[in-house]
Every structure is written in C-alpha cells, then in structure tokens.
Amino acid sequence: MTMALVVGGLFATGVYLMLQRSLMRTLLGLILLGHGTNLLLLVSGGAPGDPPVVPEGASGDGDRFADPLPQAMALTAIVITFGITTFLLALAYRSWRLAGHDEVRDDIEDRRIGTVGERADAEPAALPPDDPAPDVPAPEDPAPDGGPR
Amino acid sequence: MTTWLVVLPVLLPLLAGGVSLTLARRASAQRVLTAAVLTVVLADAVTLLLHVDRDGTAVVAAGGWRPPLGIALVADLTAALLLTVAVLVALAVLVFAVGQGTAGDSSETAVPFHPAYLLLVGGIGLAFLSGDLFNLFVAFEVMLASSYVLITLNAGEARVQAGMTYVMTSLTSSLLFLTAIALVYGATGTVSFAELADRTADLPGGVRTALASFLLVVFGIKAAVVPLHFWLPDSYPTAPAPITAVFAALLTKVGVYAMVRTQTLLFPRDDVWWLLVWAAVATMLVGILGAIAQDNVNRLLSFTLVSHIGFMLFGLALSDAAGLGGTLLYIVHHIVVQASLFLVTGLVVARTGTSALHRMEGEEGEGGGSPVVAVLFMLPALSLAGLPPFSGFIAKFALLRAAAADGGAAAWLLSGAALVTSLLTLYAMVRVWRAVSAPAARDAEPVGHGARTLTVGAAAGMVAAGLAIAVLAGPLARVAERAAADLNRPETYRHAVTASEEPG
C-alpha cells in the first residue's frame, strides 16, 4: 500500500513537472517518472525484504525468496534511464549555451502555418507570401535576453 | 549455423560500432567498416529469410538459458522479411550519407555518425528478432539512444530544440513501456512472448483490455499514431536528409511491428477492433490534411508518413490473416518508398538551398531542374499515392481486398478513408512535384562529381528497389500471406519457442 502511494505520487509529480515550459523542470519530471517506474518494477516482483538469491544449503527458509527477474530488469532500466538523462542534460546545457534560456519554444513552422489563414483573411491577395513570414523570427535569431555567459 | 544466422544481425553491428569508435581518426576505414558490416548483415538477412521460409521459425536461446528464464531471439517469417528490407534501406542510406557529406570525410559529423549508425541498425535488428517484452524494451532503447545522437549531430539551435522534443517524447514513451512491462509481469509472472501468449488467455477480461490498451498507447507514441503523433513532424525534418530518411523509413515501422507482434501474439482477437479502426481512420485523414497545409517539403513528407501509418493499422484493425498480410506488404512498400522520397528531396534541397516549397519553385523557363531527379521523385511519389503498377497499388489492393472480404461496417469505413487519403496523397505529391520538376536555379554549394554520383546512385537504387517490389509482387505477397497466417495463429510461435527448449 505504501509502495502504491509512493509510485502514484512519483508519477503524478513527474507528469506535472514534465508539463512545464522550463527544460530543467521537464528533465526533473522525467527523472521522477523514471524512479516511479523502477519502483513499480520492483513491486511487481513481490514483497520487499527477502533475498533474491539463496545459496545452496543456506540456513533459514529456502522457500522465502524475492523474484530476481524484476530486480534485474529494474537494474537495466536504471542504467538506461541514467545514461539518457545524462545525454539530455548535455543537450539542455547546449540549448542554454546557444539560446541563452532553457525554455521550450513554440515551433516556428507551426506558428507560421497557424497564421497563414488569418493573414489570408486580412489581405486575400497576399497568398502565398513571397518571403517566409516576416512577422515570425527566423530560427537563427538569438534570443534578446541573456546570452551565453 | 542457424544460431549464427539469427545472432549475426544483432551482434555484428554492435561489435562493429565499438570498433568504429576506435577508428575515429581514420575516416575512410570507418566508412569501409560500416559499409562492409551492413553488406554482410544484408546477405545474412536474405539467407535467414530463405532459411525461415523453408524450415520454419528459427529460435536461439542466448547464453544457453532456455526461453522462460533466458532471452530468446526468434526469427519468424515476419521478422526475417522486415529485417531484410530494413537492412537494405540502411545500406542505401549509408551510401547516400557518405556521398552527401553527413558521413563523408570532410565533415566533423562523420566521426560520431558511423558508430551511432551501426548501433541503430543493431537495435533495429534486435527489435525485430527479440522474443520477450523486456528485450524489446532494450532493443528500443539501443535504437533510440543512437537516434538521439544522430538527430542532434552538429546541432545548431533549431536542431537542439527539435532534439529535445524528440528525446523527451521517446523517453516518456519508453518509461510508459517499462510501466507496462511491470504491470504485465505483475499480472502474469513472465515477459517471454511465448509464455505470455499462454497466460494472457487466462487473465480476467478487464486486466487483459487494460494491458492491451497500455501497450497500444506505448507503441502508438513510437509509431506516431494520431493523436500521439505531434512530436514527429516537429523533430524529423530538422535532421540531415539521410538521417530523416532512415528514421522515417525504419523507426516508426519498428513501432508498428511491435504493435503487430504484441497484439496478435498476446491479445489475439477474432472480431474487428473498433478502437484501432478509429485510430487508423484518424491517422490517415489527420496526417494527410496536415501534409496539405505544409509548405516545408520535409514536414510535408513527415505528415504523409504519419498518414500512411494509418494504412498499417488498417490491416491490424481487421484482425484477420488477409488484413495482416496487407499490413506486412504495406510496411515493406512504405519503408522503401518513404526512404526514396526523403533521399530524392534531399537531392533537390541540396540543389536549391531551401526546403520551403514556394521558394523552391522556379520561374518558367528558368531551367534549374534535372530530369533525372524529377523522374526519381515521380516514381516513388506515384507509388505512395497508390497508382498502378507501383508497389503502393499492390499493398493498398491487398488491404482493400481484405476489407472487401470482411464486408463489415468497419471495413467499409476504413476503405473509404483509405481511398480519400490516397487521393489527397496524390494532391500533396503533385504540389511537391511542381517544385521538384522545375526548381529555381540557385547558387547552391557546388558538389563534387563523385559525391553526386553516390547520392543520385543511392536514391536511384532505392527507387529501383521500390520498382522491384512491384515486379516481385507475386512471390512477396505469398511470403506476406504465409507470415500473416503464422501471426494469426499464435500457437505456431509458441510451439517453435517451446520446441527449442528440448535439447537438440
């Protein structure tokens, strides 16, 4: 029951954080979500406390052992999540270096296509535009605020 | 012998990926290594396909641990067929990448490109061959981790932005996949496909439906099924042309394959699956309408990719052997055609220096175009729209025939959506074609003669492969039918795996 609550809490917090604009928060959300998943994997292997490997002739109850398979899976999953989180961190750092902020922006092309209809209503003769949407910043434009330090 | 045949497509690229890293200073050695490995794997995949077609499913228990405990690699007809096509495309794209410069010796991106590319192929091979759910997860991770590297190669701001979206989405879907695995394991106590097929039948209906839907969502994200497709058109187009081509051709198809594999094997059903019918219809229509709205040629093609994923769900939603056969044919056709479209578009974009359609189109009589490129684009474009006698027509015909044989309301709904989508695909392709056939003459960067031969040759090779599919439609359709019949009878898979447990 405790575990179920913990897993549920981690999932909820993780998903909430992932819906934020800031890259760092999204990343933290992913990490929490990963922890929740790993705990869930462990729980699926049975109650905690029992040893996964019981050596032959060991003292104690030979019938009581935890399922080793989910533990192996959780280990694999931890390694994978860890590696990719590191990669994401590097990417977030690069994004910060290049753009000077770590916000996820709206997709420029999406915005351009979204406004085509509006502009067409405003001035019907102006379609298709001969130059790509002067009202939308080009992708190369550096952000006005901040900048690499 | 069989062991090596099955293991090689996974083992060789992974090992070569490591060797390739040590060759970082010698660009030509790296190139030769990647090309040689892919050629060997291609030969191996073809042999495997023939072998499996003759002797039935090949099973290898890795490390000598028998299937319920250990990891099994299972090559049935479906897996072998898709593996062959996938490696073929990977090889062609490699040649294009070397010619175009992404992997050539002059660019900095070549050093990380080769190891990542080999790992990508290894991951795809493992995904097709893997015989248990957790191993499938690992395969997806190997594949996706290398794709993260490839999509952010030489990253500027736009590419980092798109890369973040892509990595976040993929990682989230992977975590959901892991959650699904935990739930499946909790419910059944196994992750081996063969055992799961037995045990899911005894689960209560609610749990069964929950698990099936969970896996559907997970693979739906990976395969970009509407409404889970939003990440794809934002991320794929920013990568260099050959990388977009290999992603578009292979990564989403692996998702579709995983969906086909899990749904047919673990949750077999006899009637039409309405949930998937609606998903297929929505995917086809939303995808193609999105494509028509686009002005950037790469985004347009990405949206048609989303749209045509719907055709693959079409056959799966019908849940019978004929529909599955159509799905398999469609996957094979679409892998080749989508890759050739992206490669040819890459040629045009390199020539005109822009990917915006309205800027690409030249004035009348400007004459910046090349007839060879124009024809190379026309053939796969017509094939994608499903005009006879190209491969798209054959695949669509197989699907529509399956629908007509089924005859229910769902089948007619699907057929209607498929026909409308094909028509709109033709319209979208004509828009691109206008720009491609007469592109504006721009002062693009001059390309060396050898490089141009390589890129045009690779694109032409892919187009020729697409035509070959149409020519070989008879034998191919028969293979797909047999593979689909096997998919439709999970017992076959189970028997093949359990039989390998006995020594000998």
Side-chain angles (χ1 to χ4, degrees):
Chain A
M1 186 62 196
T2 326
M3 282 301 250
L5 283 180
V6 171
V7 170
L10 282 173
F11 265 78
T13 328
V15 170
Y16 174 73
L17 279 176
M18 274 175 60
L19 297 177
Q20 306 280 316
R21 275 260 164 175
S22 152
L23 271 184
M24 255 349 268
R25 292 192 185 191
T26 335
L27 198 65
L28 287 176
L30 264 182
I31 295 173
L32 285 185
L33 200 61
H35 289 336
T37 317
N38 289 333
L39 277 184
L40 186 68
L41 259 180
L42 275 184
V43 175
S44 72
D50 297 326
V53 180
V54 183
E56 222 174 329
S59 59
D61 193 352
D63 293 336
R64 286 179 54 87
F65 63 93
D67 193 341
L69 212 55
Q71 302 193 357
M73 289 186 213
L75 271 180
T76 319
I78 289 171
V79 174
I80 291 175
T81 326
F82 173 73
I84 292 175
T85 310
T86 325
F87 182 79
L88 260 175
L89 266 178
L91 210 58
Y93 178 66
R94 176 139 191 169
S95 160
W96 177 76
R97 282 286 297 270
L98 285 171
H101 61 85
D102 77 335
E103 300 230 318
V104 181
R105 285 172 145 196
D106 287 345
D107 196 80
I108 291 159
E109 187 76 13
D110 279 351
R111 226 191 307 164
R112 211 184 71 75
I113 286 168
T115 54
V116 161
E118 291 166 26
R119 271 182 289 141
D121 291 342
E123 35 180 332
L127 252 188
D130 272 338
D131 52 338
D135 51 324
V136 175
E140 296 83 24
D141 274 2
D145 55 311
R149 263 161 262 174
Chain B
M1 179 60 196
T2 323
T3 312
W4 284 109
L5 274 182
V6 178
V7 169
L8 215 61
V10 181
L11 213 55
L12 199 60
L14 292 186
L15 289 177
V19 175
S20 181
L21 259 187
T22 65
L23 294 176
R25 285 173 176 280
R26 301 170 56 183
S28 58
Q30 258 189 335
R31 251 177 294 156
V32 171
L33 179 73
T34 316
V37 164
L38 289 187
T39 315
V40 172
V41 172
L42 179 60
D44 178 90
V46 172
T47 327
L48 184 64
L49 178 60
L50 296 176
H51 178 85
V52 169
D53 196 23
R54 201 183 57 228
D55 298 345
T57 307
V59 181
V60 171
W65 291 80
R66 291 298 157 202
L69 267 187
I71 292 166
L73 291 182
V74 184
D76 66 349
L77 207 50
T78 315
L81 178 65
L82 295 183
L83 182 70
T84 312
V85 184
V87 179
L88 177 71
V89 170
L91 186 62
V93 171
L94 174 77
V95 175
F96 187 93
V98 169
Q100 183 243 19
T102 314
D105 47 0
S106 56
S107 84
E108 293 172 15
T109 54
V111 173
F113 175 86
H114 287 281
Y117 197 73
L118 282 169
L119 287 182
L120 183 79
V121 174
I124 291 171
L126 185 60
F128 282 141
L129 295 175
S130 107
D132 71 73
L133 208 52
F134 192 75
N135 204 22
L136 187 65
F137 165 75
V138 175
F140 265 111
E141 284 315 299
V142 172
M143 185 176 94
L144 291 176
S146 28
S147 77
Y148 302 154
V149 176
L150 288 176
I151 208 170
T152 51
L153 271 184
N154 197 12
E157 192 181 340
R159 214 172 269 178
V160 167
Q161 193 73 252
M164 288 300 292
T165 318
Y166 176 67
V167 179
M168 287 283 179
T169 320
S170 308
L171 194 55
T172 313
S173 84
S174 296
L175 289 175
L176 286 180
F177 189 6
L178 208 54
T179 314
I181 292 176
L183 295 178
V184 166
Y185 191 84
T188 61
T190 180
V191 286
S192 152
F193 282 150
E195 284 204 328
L196 273 175
D198 260 339
R199 295 194 193 171
T200 45
D202 306 333
L203 287 177
V207 178
R208 225 170 101 90
T209 314
L211 292 179
S213 326
F214 211 133
L215 286 174
L216 186 70
V217 169
V218 168
F219 297 129
I221 298 179
K222 297 201 194 285
V225 173
V226 172
L228 305 166
H229 69 289
F230 291 99
W231 58 273
L232 191 142
D234 283 349
S235 56
Y236 279 11
T238 51
I243 291 171
T244 313
V246 79
F247 282 12
L250 299 179
L251 296 195
T252 46
K253 305 306 179 301
V254 177
V256 174
Y257 166 80
M259 208 184 279
V260 169
R261 173 65 81 206
T262 48
Q263 300 300 341
T264 55
L265 199 57
L266 309 189
F267 311 102
R269 48 179 68 233
D270 302 322
D271 49 340
V272 173
W273 191 5
W274 275 97
L275 176 67
L276 204 58
V277 170
W278 288 116
V281 170
T283 309
M284 286 192 259
L285 293 179
V286 172
I288 200 65
L289 291 177
I292 288 175
Q294 299 301 318
D295 184 53
N296 179 317
V297 61
N298 281 327
R299 288 175 70 96
L300 191 151
L301 287 179
S302 300
F303 267 105
T304 58
L305 164 69
V306 171
S307 155
H308 286 244
I309 294 290
F311 282 92
M312 296 162 211
L313 303 186
F314 183 144
L316 183 60
L318 290 179
S319 334
D320 57 7
L324 285 172
T327 296
L328 286 181
L329 264 185
Y330 208 90
I331 297 180
V332 170
H333 140 75
H334 197 260
I335 288 181
V336 174
V337 165
Q338 193 76 41
S340 16
L341 281 177
F342 271 111
L343 290 186
V344 178
T345 316
L347 287 179
V348 181
V349 170
R351 176 175 281 249
T352 56
T354 174
S355 58
L357 277 180
H358 69 270
R359 301 184 64 198
M360 195 186 271
E361 207 172 316
E363 301 294 318
E364 210 154 308
E366 201 174 354
S370 135
V372 177
V373 173
V375 169
L376 283 183
F377 184 83
M378 188 186 74
L379 295 177
L382 292 182
S383 177
L384 190 71
L387 261 66
F390 298 109
S391 56
F393 170 72
I394 291 148
K396 283 189 178 127
F397 184 70
L399 282 174
L400 292 178
R401 201 174 52 175
D406 182 273
W412 292 118
L413 182 66
L414 282 170
S415 314
L419 291 176
V420 171
T421 309
S422 305
L423 203 63
L424 292 178
T425 308
L426 191 60
Y427 170 66
M429 286 299 124
V430 168
R431 279 187 61 212
V432 186
W433 158 252
R434 275 184 45 172
V436 167
S437 58
R442 289 249 160 71
D443 38 326
E445 296 164 36
V447 207
H449 186 68
R452 187 158 170 77
T453 317
L454 273 183
T455 49
V456 175
M462 286 308 303
V463 174
L467 294 181
I469 290 180
V471 174
L472 295 175
L476 202 63
R478 277 196 290 281
V479 170
E481 260 168 39
R482 282 199 296 275
D486 280 353
L487 277 180
N488 216 29
R489 286 193 312 264
E491 313 86 72
T492 331
Y493 191 92
R494 211 153 61 214
H495 286 158
V497 177
T498 38
S500 75
E501 285 175 50
E502 283 125 36

